[in-house]
Amino acid sequence: MAASFLCASGVVVANDLYERALDAIATGNTPVATELLAQLMQQQPNHAGAWLDMAMLYCSAGMNMEALALFDAIEARFAPPAGILELMSLQRANGCKPSAVAAVTWRGQLGRGFETNVNQGVRDLNVTLLGAGGPLHLQLTPNYAPRADGFTTLVMDANWALGPRHTRAWVQWQGKVFDSQHGFDTAAWQLGVLQPWQGSRWRGEWQASLSQVSLGGVPYQQTTGLRAVLEPMARWPMGWHGDMALRWSDVHYKTLPGFDARWVDMHVGGRYSSANLLFQGGVGWQADTALGQRPGGSRQGWSADVLVRRALGGGVFGELGGGVQRWLDNQSYAPGLIDQPRHQRSWVVRAALFLPVGSQGQWVLEARQQRNMENIALFGFDVVSVQLGYEWRLGGR
């Protein structure tokens, strides 16, 4: 969509209403963009950018008469530069037809990597547990030690539009196969639907999803989730936005009776974006309610995350991110054997490099480290992984 050009008064009008309209155009939310531009044209009749963008929206929707009427009005009311006049002339000559948008967007990634702790083996085979009779010192067998292995990954996903209200659906499958530790091979699929919305003071989206994870070829976990994202329609500083996300999840374990749980997660975040930089971060609160006789019972926690993505030149991008998570159990983990609630503290750091190949492909080099620190030494572990993958995309939104 064309950028705004000089108004008749010679001043570039760049207010919050126009910025929101451009955001709606960029995300394909045509009804919202049309409504915002109509409001702006009524409030600021000399905003030439709003007139032109409205005309282009009409044209891309195949509304030929409405678009041509606005093109004529723009020439009569304003003094558009030569480039804008040429653009309107081409549209008149070619006629206004609905934009051809790919029905489905596909993405795939094939990768190869190495992981230092496939089985989340304990940090130290000598552990001490606080039981009813006092400290209990154990020497674990080598089976509990970390096992390193190479792996191959494949990710395939697709998303597509459903109807005229910008509803979208998606499906994803991903698999990870180890060279020798096949008992830890994973396969996961997810189905979901997303519905954006906008009110007078808030905008956001609703999501619903269903997913399943298999471990070692056996169904392991199934999750049903609902998620709502809310963003106030406030006058944010240039480049900044903030939102709040609420998520409810029902988790069912296929092979672990009594471990089923219900999650509630609230996350507040902010992001800044410019041509060469993206920064986002947030904090969250979680409640994990046990639905059976799970060791430790229910738990609560908090989390924090940050991500920085920056252009490095030549189309290359780099990412650096991380997160921390804290969980506190409500009761002793295993009364009589481990007479203390489990307190889990973990952090993850990640670095990635993206090297484009053509217009629809890129190499992705990624390194990741996770450290899980526990007051119960039996659960403490460290893991480092590196992966090189090739990603390709087909279609477009």
Side-chain angles (χ1 to χ4, degrees):
M1 191 59 59
S4 63
F5 55 88
L6 287 181
C7 301
S9 61
V11 178
V12 177
V13 180
N15 55 27
D16 182 63
L17 198 61
Y18 191 46
E19 183 179 346
R20 283 157 46 197
L22 293 180
D23 287 343
I25 293 172
T27 57
N29 198 339
T30 303
V32 170
T34 303
E35 179 182 348
L36 292 171
L37 289 173
Q39 294 178 27
L40 182 56
M41 291 167 65
Q42 183 178 8
Q43 295 175 15
Q44 299 185 28
N46 290 327
H47 196 300
W51 283 72
L52 179 62
D53 285 331
M54 181 70 89
M56 298 301 291
L57 283 178
Y58 282 151
C59 199
S60 63
M63 301 170 66
N64 193 68
M65 293 182 61
E66 291 84 348
L68 293 180
L70 283 181
F71 288 152
D72 293 340
I74 289 171
E75 290 188 355
R77 293 173 61 92
F78 307 105
I84 300 299
L85 291 173
E86 182 179 357
L87 174 65
M88 293 191 296
S89 176
L90 287 174
Q91 293 294 339
R92 287 190 180 102
N94 296 330
C96 293
K97 302 175 183 179
S99 299
V101 180
V104 183
T105 299
W106 299 88
R107 180 181 70 96
Q109 186 183 85
L110 180 65
R112 180 71 184 159
F114 181 82
E115 190 169 308
T116 62
N117 193 350
V118 173
N119 59 323
Q120 296 185 357
V122 297
R123 190 176 295 113
D124 189 348
L125 293 178
N126 297 293
V127 299
T128 300
L129 304 178
L130 298 179
L136 177 63
H137 302 284
L138 299 177
Q139 172 69 46
L140 302 179
T141 67
N143 288 335
Y144 291 92
R147 306 178 201 172
D149 203 359
F151 62 83
T152 301
T153 61
L154 177 63
V155 179
M156 298 290 292
D157 62 43
N159 70 82
W160 60 95
L162 296 175
R165 295 180 58 84
H166 303 282
T167 307
R168 300 198 69 83
W170 76 87
V171 58
Q172 182 183 80
W173 182 92
Q174 54 183 322
K176 186 176 186 179
V177 178
F178 289 98
D179 294 347
S180 58
Q181 303 292 328
H182 294 300
F184 300 95
D185 292 349
T186 57
W189 58 260
Q190 184 181 68
L191 301 172
V193 63
L194 178 151
Q195 176 62 63
W197 60 271
Q198 180 162 322
S200 59
R201 296 179 179 272
W202 296 83
R203 60 184 169 188
E205 62 189 31
W206 302 98
Q207 294 183 23
S209 62
L210 175 66
S211 62
Q212 180 171 292
V213 178
S214 297
L215 180 63
V218 178
Y220 175 69
Q221 181 190 83
Q222 181 175 298
T223 303
T224 304
L226 297 173
R227 185 171 182 262
V229 179
L230 309 172
E231 179 178 341
M233 295 174 61
R235 183 182 293 274
W236 296 96
M238 183 64 69
W240 285 93
H241 289 277
D243 59 34
M244 177 176 66
L246 302 173
R247 183 179 61 180
W248 171 90
S249 303
D250 192 271
V251 184
H252 172 60
Y253 290 88
K254 299 283 191 176
T255 58
L256 296 173
F259 275 69
D260 291 356
R262 183 162 293 138
W263 282 42
V264 176
D265 183 348
M266 180 177 70
H267 184 273
V268 178
R271 64 188 183 277
Y272 169 80
S273 60
S274 65
N276 298 314
L277 177 67
L278 168 68
F279 169 85
Q280 63 185 39
V283 295
W285 171 85
Q286 297 83 35
D288 178 5
T289 302
L291 301 181
Q293 300 301 312
R294 183 178 66 183
S298 300
R299 60 180 182 168
Q300 294 185 351
W302 62 267
S303 61
D305 58 88
V306 65
L307 172 70
V308 179
R309 179 181 175 95
R310 184 174 180 84
L312 303 178
V316 178
F317 279 84
E319 275 189 4
L320 182 63
V324 295
Q325 174 74 64
R326 179 75 180 268
W327 285 110
L328 302 175
D329 282 6
N330 291 344
Q331 61 190 48
S332 296
Y333 186 78
L337 178 62
I338 305 177
D339 281 330
Q340 60 183 138
R342 182 181 178 185
H343 294 177
Q344 179 184 4
R345 296 167 295 160
S346 62
W347 55 260
V348 177
V349 293
R350 172 183 170 274
L353 197 63
F354 301 85
L355 297 88
V357 179
S359 60
Q360 295 183 307
Q362 64 180 348
W363 288 100
V364 183
L365 178 62
E366 180 180 13
R368 175 187 174 96
Q369 180 180 6
Q370 179 179 358
R371 184 175 180 83
N372 197 61
M373 298 168 286
E374 303 258 357
N375 64 326
I376 301 175
L378 187 64
F379 304 115
F381 68 89
D382 300 316
V383 57
V384 175
S385 64
V386 293
Q387 176 180 326
L388 176 64
Y390 181 77
E391 179 179 293
W392 64 95
R393 295 177 181 271
L394 298 174
R397 292 177 184 168

